[in-house]
Amino acid sequence: MNQTTHSTGHSTGDRSPSGLFRMSAWEGEFERANAQVPRWYWNRDQRRRHYARWVEAEAETLAMRLSGLLRSDTPAETAGAARVLVESLARDIDWARRLEDSESEGGRFAHAA
């Protein structure tokens, strides 16, 4: 992992409820993809807001893809496990939306929603 990541160390907000989406993973991916990170990245609150958006997008994509694979002939044990994962991803989506809303409502972001 890149030594320049800036996770806060707090358990709240540093990973999604499912544990699948960690801020440190997003930071590492973001830093690897950007030779020069944008100025907002160094602002903890803005970085968390972008992280929340990433969690929401990734979880939505995975949930939709997994749901789309389920058919009436999908074996019950597979379908059941997939549905549990889709429900877990839905909780991650809700959590990410609340995280972004709480960051925005805290007055830390001046933006038009």
Side-chain angles (χ1 to χ4, degrees), residues 60-101:
E60 283 179 342
T61 299
L62 288 172
M64 287 189 315
R65 292 191 67 177
L66 190 53
S67 293
L69 294 173
L70 296 175
R71 301 284 184 251
S72 59
D73 64 343
T74 302
E77 62 201 31
T78 303
R83 286 187 186 99
V84 167
L85 184 53
V86 168
E87 290 170 7
S88 184
L89 290 166
R91 285 189 296 275
D92 285 347
I93 293 165
D94 290 341
W95 172 85
R97 288 176 180 159
R98 286 191 312 272
L99 179 63
E100 184 176 0
D101 288 346

Side-chain angles (χ1 to χ4, degrees), residues 29-46:
E29 183 178 308
F30 190 86
E31 290 173 9
R32 282 188 299 277
N34 295 280
Q36 182 174 352
V37 295
R39 188 175 307 170
W40 61 257
Y41 185 80
W42 303 112
N43 178 291
R44 177 189 167 275
D45 295 331
Q46 289 185 18

